Amino acid sequence: MKGPRGTQDLLPGVTEKWQYVEEKLKGLSKNYNYQEIRTPIFEHTELFQRGVGDTTDIVQKEMYTFTDKGDRSITLRPEGTASVVRSFVQHKLFGSPNQPVKLFYIGPMFRYERPQQGRMRQFVQYGVEALGSEDPAIDAEVIALAMSAYRELGLKSLKLVLNSLGDNESRNNHRKALIDHFSPVKDELCSDCQTRLEKNPLRILDCKKDRDHEAMATAPSILEFLNDYSRDYFDQVKAYLDAMEIPYVIDKNLVRGLDYYNHTAFEIMSDAAGFGAITTLSGGGRYNGLVQELGGPETPGIGFALSIERLLMALDAENIELPIDQSLDCYVIAFGDETKVKAASILQKLREAGVQADKDYQDKKMKAQFRAADRLKARFVLVLGEEELENNIIAVKNMETGDQENIGLNELISYIKGII
Ligand code: HAM
């Protein structure tokens, strides 16, 4: 049997990379003072319909939705923001004394997409959400955190793309202009875009099918419709980024694939040669109406998410090796029937003392056991023969230098702890 399309098994050798990256991201969250939140992997379908937006591809085409035995419509989460906001409202975190509420998450997300490199049906997102502040400085903070996630791991070929989607007034004016612009060519657009024209014309700008239609290039840009507040907000975000020395390019066509955004929208792309067709590493933005949409008090919010799959692809594309230690502290070799039980007890004591240790379980010859120790990158091999057992000692071989000395069994643990 094979795993479902668009999923992957992470095997030893690869899981170490994931652990390394996840630890880095958790450390980074701590530096920026974001605390972890864990929400369920499935939610009521309505959450995403209302949160992510009924006209988005995610909700229309990509959700894993099923009816459970209690006849409820349930969906495997396609993203994290809606769940975090649902939880924020449900647990009244808006009443917490520490505002804004700054949260991060790492976990699997599910989208029924056409799988290709960097596009999975189950993928892992790391994301942050800052709820309760409409200070442009926190927009810059979230972007800075997103950039640091890559830079800390050594990535250099990064491009930060920025846009503003404005507030409701700006968006409504832009919406009208888009309807005027696309209506004359409505019949030439794909059937999805014909629906979008009525329901959510902004989505047309994100259409993959109509991307090359000539009306796309001349479509009115949101930036021309920003009112004073929105323009000033955007200017301040840019000023903070400048002050933080975070370079960016403005892309007036960046609209993002989820409906909840307003004001700041951004994506980080990889510029690395050989990265592949999908170059977006992460995306995010501000969503000031979402908390209210999900039943909470009017609360501004901003966040972003990246997938670890694409982050690891970017590391590969830039030939970055993560400094992962795959060595083992000790390998215990016992030869002679009498010694086996003693070896098991030594091994147990080592492990209880916090030493990484292993032994043979396949009755291998001594030479083969040394080879096994080599393969496991053991730093020390502890050899217990009948003679050693009689004298209450054990031979400790340093595999790097080849040096060997006999150590009394009573001092073994403190000796090993001293040298590792
Ligand atoms: P999104 O742009 O849909 O935004 O996804 C964010 C990131 O998740 C993408 O840039 C990409 O790295 C990764 N991603 C998405 N789909 C896949 C896939 N099928 N396979 C692998 N990686 C994928 C959101 O999800 C928003 N919740 C981000 C956000 C948080 N906005 C505000 N707060």
Side-chain angles (χ1 to χ4, degrees):
M1 292 237 286
K2 284 186 175 163
R5 229 163 99 72
T7 67
Q8 63 178 337
D9 298 315
L10 303 174
L11 303 180
V14 175
T15 44
E16 291 82 357
K17 289 188 185 175
W18 281 72
Q19 288 168 0
Y20 181 88
V21 167
E22 286 170 5
E23 284 315 306
K24 274 275 178 200
L25 293 171
K26 286 179 189 166
L28 186 72
S29 310
K30 183 91 184 118
N31 288 352
Y32 282 77
N33 193 31
Y34 285 71
Q35 291 174 303
E36 186 174 7
I37 181 166
R38 300 188 188 192
T39 62
I41 280 171
F42 61 87
E43 297 271 1
H44 295 295
T45 303
E46 190 195 351
L47 173 67
F48 304 112
Q49 289 168 336
R50 277 169 54 185
V52 175
D54 251 341
T55 56
T56 59
D57 275 358
I58 294 181
V59 169
Q60 296 242 308
K61 303 178 185 164
E62 297 171 2
M63 294 207 301
Y64 278 92
T65 297
F66 60 96
T67 307
D68 75 3
K69 293 189 199 302
D71 228 15
R72 299 172 199 90
S73 181
I74 294 292
T75 293
L76 301 185
R77 62 181 184 194
E79 60 106 47
T81 312
S83 302
V84 169
V85 171
R86 195 255 321 129
S87 180
F88 175 87
V89 173
Q90 183 175 338
H91 300 286
K92 300 191 171 59
L93 298 187
F94 44 80
S96 147
N98 292 329
Q99 298 292 330
V101 174
K102 304 207 298 181
L103 304 165
F104 82 88
Y105 49 89
I106 300 186
M109 308 290 161
F110 307 84
R111 296 186 193 177
Y112 189 79
E113 295 195 84
R114 207 157 41 83
Q116 64 183 92
Q117 208 201 11
R119 187 186 287 147
M120 307 290 297
R121 289 185 172 169
Q122 173 174 329
F123 56 98
V124 175
Q125 271 189 352
Y126 161 80
V128 309
E129 313 293 347
L131 292 139
S133 167
E134 197 173 341
D135 181 343
I138 202 153
D139 299 47
E141 172 178 290
V142 167
I143 295 172
L145 189 161
M147 289 298 283
S148 313
Y150 300 111
R151 283 181 177 168
E152 268 205 19
L153 290 166
L155 287 166
K156 296 206 166 59
S157 302
L158 301 166
K159 187 167 97 176
L160 168 62
V161 183
L162 194 63
N163 194 18
S164 169
L165 300 175
D167 61 5
N168 280 344
E169 185 186 70
S170 314
R171 289 174 65 121
N172 281 337
N173 290 335
H174 182 225
R175 182 191 154 90
K176 284 186 201 128
L178 285 173
I179 294 174
D180 291 346
H181 178 78
F182 283 111
S183 290
V185 294
K186 182 176 175 184
D187 295 346
E188 296 161 28
L189 300 176
C190 74
S191 62
D192 281 346
C193 280
Q194 296 188 7
T195 316
R196 288 170 182 142
L197 186 58
E198 271 144 44
K199 291 195 172 157
N200 190 354
L202 193 69
R203 288 263 74 83
I204 298 177
L205 301 179
D206 208 22
C207 179
K208 289 169 194 95
K209 282 193 204 137
D210 290 331
R211 193 172 19 207
D212 299 324
H213 192 287
E214 56 185 16
M216 285 290 199
T218 52
S221 142
I222 178 71
L223 293 181
E224 298 155 32
F225 292 86
L226 294 184
N227 58 15
D228 289 347
Y229 177 77
S230 302
R231 179 169 306 283
D232 181 53
Y233 195 91
F234 193 36
D235 286 343
Q236 288 190 61
V237 173
K238 289 185 280 184
Y240 276 112
L241 290 174
D242 292 338
M244 293 159 113
E245 295 178 45
I246 297 174
Y248 53 85
V249 292
I250 306 288
D251 178 354
K252 62 185 171 52
N253 293 325
L254 177 75
V255 296
R256 308 276 301 127
L258 304 90
D259 274 352
Y260 45 62
Y261 293 112
N262 40 52
H263 292 291
T264 314
F266 70 95
E267 286 186 353
I268 298 172
M269 335 281 269
S270 171
D271 259 353
F275 184 69
I278 298 176
T279 55
T280 305
L281 294 176
S282 58
R286 182 160 277 288
Y287 46 84
N288 290 348
L290 187 58
V291 176
Q292 223 177 358
E293 174 65 37
L294 298 178
E298 202 180 328
T299 309
I302 176 153
F304 93 100
L306 61 80
S307 74
I308 299 191
E309 286 81 359
R310 291 193 195 169
L311 192 164
L312 292 172
M313 278 168 60
L315 290 171
D316 276 351
E318 293 196 35
N319 295 317
I320 295 171
E321 284 286 332
L322 299 175
I324 291 166
D325 178 14
Q326 281 176 322
S327 66
L328 180 74
D329 295 330
C330 295
Y331 194 84
V332 181
I333 297 180
F335 60 96
D337 290 339
E338 306 293 299
T339 58
K340 283 189 176 160
V341 175
K342 185 69 182 171
S345 110
I346 292 170
L347 186 65
Q348 186 60 17
K349 288 205 177 79
L350 285 166
R351 289 168 169 174
E352 283 173 0
V355 178
Q356 309 156 356
D358 208 352
K359 74 183 269 301
D360 166 66
Y361 290 103
Q362 291 183 303
D363 218 9
K364 286 199 184 106
K365 298 248 156 48
M366 174 114 114
K367 246 192 174 156
Q369 290 194 43
F370 265 101
R371 277 201 299 274
D374 257 345
R375 270 199 305 275
L376 292 171
K377 302 197 175 71
R379 296 170 59 203
F380 297 93
V381 172
L382 317 186
V383 187
L384 188 71
E386 270 152 20
E387 206 182 310
E388 282 86 2
L389 186 61
E390 227 162 76
N391 295 316
N392 216 26
I393 56 169
I394 190 164
V396 176
K397 180 168 183 186
N398 181 328
M399 298 295 278
E400 201 186 330
T401 61
D403 295 346
Q404 185 168 323
E405 54 182 318
N406 290 334
I407 304 294
L409 280 178
N410 297 335
E411 313 144 51
L412 178 68
I413 301 294
S414 59
Y415 175 80
I416 293 288
K417 296 243 344 167
I419 51 176
I420 59 172

